[in-house]
Amino acid sequence: MPKTLVAVTRSPLSPTPRSTIKRGRKRAVTDRAALDAVLDAGLICHLSVVIDGSPVVLPTGYGRDGDTLYLHGSTGALSLRSALDNEVCVAVTLLDGIVYARSVFHFSANYRSAVVHGHARLVESAEERLHGLKVLTEHMAPGSWNHSREPNAKELAKTAVLALSLDEAALKVRTGGPGDEPEDISDNLAWAGVLPLTQQWGAPQPSDDLAPGWEIPAHVMDRYASRG
Amino acid sequence: MPKTLVAVTRSPLSPTPRSTIKRGRKRAVTDRAALDAVLDAGLICHLSVVIDGSPVVLPTGYGRDGDTLYLHGSTGALSLRSALDNEVCVAVTLLDGIVYARSVFHFSANYRSAVVHGHARLVESAEERLHGLKVLTEHMAPGSWNHSREPNAKELAKTAVLALSLDEAALKVRTGGPGDEPEDISDNLAWAGVLPLTQQWGAPQPSDDLAPGWEIPAHVMDRYASRG
């Protein structure tokens, strides 16, 4: 069967049961590079916190440095304050395609999904706050930290930086075609295959208020030219 | 300033404070068609539930029919059982570009984000379960319900279908260039603009075990040809 499901847990392996892959596990490996690759390939994450007993999930930026995921937000945001009171969960998902099967039951998606659980730490030191913001900026827009103006004291005061350890993280990957029933395959009753999906950068659009004379900087052009 | 932030709440307006947009609100409208358009344009959602007091967020499929979002999963999945015990939160996010600013502080992303809160209802009736699965399948792979084999009794027994009302939902949209400080704009100290991002379908890949003689069906080819 062409499909592959991979569960990756970091060392130490699965500190708590929820970070193990319970459904659809085919094999578990401890390839931490695979987890890092998904976290580095994603652009945004979905951050979930508990507010008054109910879950709230929001898209937000992030960046990884070694074993630490940095998140940020306004110091006044309810979700960030809640993130410090309870555990958080962060998901980074890359959707790679839709899997068409002979039977509706076996329709699926190809994807790479990293999920991280833990207590976020409010970064207090000025040095690490600046470092976390650099990691975030370079993740969102590589090459921009040195190109653009760094945060001033007033801007730093408005920005909360959170650090989340990658100690409790899981990776789930699905690739390949559908896992149809043998009788449906032999009955040959429907088309089966994958419609791949990729993300593509469009041509850089200079801001309306940009002064004349600018060429697109190399760090922007290189990203546009790079992919997907 | 070219950027636009739109908060959409359905009628009744913002039943609870958490579904209002607190940060970065520029204007609130009640255009329910805009919310529906984002839910229909997304391919997967991020479902968040609370398990043992902590948030868990997972990517999963969904489909919309009128005021109802349908979700599904294995009847044995911990996250689905937890979804019925507490409220859930569902986010559908479309990332449209990265916003490069003169200052690191004003880097941003253009996106459309729908967030839905509520108690999910386990769909009990066979008719609505089949209907929910049809809605899910047609959202994930339009045209496939009639092309592929419908679920049999055994498959239906394995599949839980959840219904979530869209009564408490919020939409946040950002478009346009950076909101830089006037002094940074006049100082002309960095390039500013948007690097747009789109999703593109790749050429359909027939399954390795597909019998010879199949042409790519129209509902797959049309999707491939359509976009983006």
Side-chain angles (χ1 to χ4, degrees):
Chain A
M1 207 169 297
K3 75 177 165 178
T4 310
L5 288 163
V6 181
V8 175
T9 49
R10 296 175 84 91
S11 180
L13 281 170
S14 305
T16 68
R18 67 187 170 193
S19 68
T20 61
I21 304 297
K22 292 193 188 58
R23 310 297 312 177
R25 174 157 64 173
K26 299 288 171 185
R27 58 193 171 102
V29 295
T30 53
D31 182 357
R32 107 161 231 182
L35 176 66
D36 290 350
V38 169
L39 293 173
D40 294 350
L43 284 166
I44 59 164
C45 68
H46 281 81
L47 166 68
S48 182
V49 299
V50 175
I51 300 180
D52 296 336
S54 293
V56 173
V57 58
L58 294 169
T60 188
Y62 72 97
R64 182 186 72 85
D65 180 28
D67 288 337
T68 302
L69 215 60
Y70 286 105
L71 304 160
H72 74 326
S74 165
T75 48
L78 181 61
S79 55
L80 273 178
R81 279 178 280 135
S82 302
L84 295 168
D85 292 339
N86 299 285
E87 289 202 359
V88 303
C89 184
V90 170
V92 173
T93 307
L94 299 162
L95 183 62
D96 295 324
I98 301 297
V99 182
Y100 289 70
R102 282 88 169 175
S103 65
V104 161
F105 184 74
H106 283 295
F107 271 67
S108 189
N110 284 336
Y111 62 91
R112 291 161 285 161
S113 166
V115 176
V116 185
H117 300 269
H119 274 283
R121 170 176 60 87
L122 182 67
V123 176
E124 306 274 6
S125 87
E127 291 84 347
E128 193 186 354
R129 281 157 56 78
L130 208 60
H131 176 69
L133 291 174
K134 180 176 180 179
V135 169
L136 274 153
T137 303
E138 288 294 299
H139 179 86
M140 178 187 251
S144 293
W145 187 263
N146 287 332
H147 179 80
S148 298
R149 176 176 64 72
E150 289 190 16
N152 58 34
K154 193 173 156 193
E155 291 166 345
L156 276 175
K158 284 186 198 166
T159 308
V161 179
L162 303 186
L164 179 63
S165 161
L166 295 179
D167 281 348
E168 193 184 340
L171 176 66
K172 199 169 172 186
V173 175
R174 190 196 189 284
T175 61
D180 274 311
E181 304 299 325
E183 57 270 29
D184 291 332
I185 296 173
S186 57
D187 284 355
N188 192 28
L189 46 74
W191 185 83
V194 174
L195 196 58
L197 194 66
T198 55
Q199 288 195 309
Q200 306 273 346
W201 296 111
Q205 301 168 338
S207 186
D208 291 343
D209 55 9
L210 187 66
W214 277 96
E215 283 187 30
I216 310 288
H219 67 286
V220 179
M221 273 313 280
D222 289 351
R223 191 180 212 187
Y224 167 51
S226 69
R227 55 153 207 144
Chain B
M1 205 169 300
K3 75 177 165 180
T4 309
L5 288 163
V6 181
V8 174
T9 49
R10 297 176 83 91
S11 180
L13 281 169
S14 304
T16 69
R18 69 188 169 190
S19 67
T20 60
I21 304 298
K22 291 193 188 57
R23 311 295 313 174
R25 174 157 64 172
K26 298 288 172 188
R27 60 195 169 102
V29 295
T30 53
D31 182 359
R32 109 161 231 183
L35 176 66
D36 290 349
V38 169
L39 293 173
D40 294 350
L43 284 167
I44 59 163
C45 68
H46 280 81
L47 165 67
S48 182
V49 299
V50 175
I51 299 180
D52 296 334
S54 292
V56 174
V57 58
L58 293 169
T60 188
Y62 72 96
R64 183 187 70 86
D65 180 28
D67 288 336
T68 302
L69 215 60
Y70 285 105
L71 304 160
H72 75 326
S74 164
T75 49
L78 182 61
S79 56
L80 274 178
R81 280 178 279 134
S82 302
L84 295 168
D85 292 338
N86 299 284
E87 288 202 359
V88 303
C89 184
V90 170
V92 173
T93 306
L94 300 161
L95 183 61
D96 295 323
I98 301 296
V99 181
Y100 289 69
R102 282 88 168 175
S103 66
V104 161
F105 184 72
H106 284 294
F107 271 67
S108 189
N110 285 336
Y111 61 91
R112 292 161 283 161
S113 165
V115 176
V116 184
H117 300 270
H119 274 283
R121 169 175 61 87
L122 182 67
V123 176
E124 306 273 7
S125 86
E127 291 84 347
E128 192 185 356
R129 281 157 55 81
L130 208 60
H131 176 69
L133 291 174
K134 179 176 180 178
V135 169
L136 273 154
T137 302
E138 287 295 298
H139 179 85
M140 177 186 251
S144 294
W145 188 263
N146 288 331
H147 179 78
S148 299
R149 176 176 65 71
E150 289 189 16
N152 58 33
K154 193 173 156 193
E155 291 166 345
L156 277 175
K158 284 186 199 167
T159 309
V161 179
L162 303 186
L164 178 63
S165 162
L166 294 178
D167 281 348
E168 192 184 341
L171 176 66
K172 199 169 172 186
V173 175
R174 192 197 188 283
T175 61
D180 273 312
E181 304 299 325
E183 56 271 29
D184 290 334
I185 296 174
S186 56
D187 285 353
N188 192 28
L189 46 73
W191 185 82
V194 174
L195 196 58
L197 194 67
T198 55
Q199 288 196 308
Q200 305 273 346
W201 296 111
Q205 300 168 339
S207 186
D208 291 343
D209 56 9
L210 187 67
W214 277 96
E215 283 187 29
I216 311 289
H219 66 286
V220 179
M221 274 312 281
D222 289 351
R223 192 181 211 188
Y224 167 49
S226 68
R227 57 155 207 141

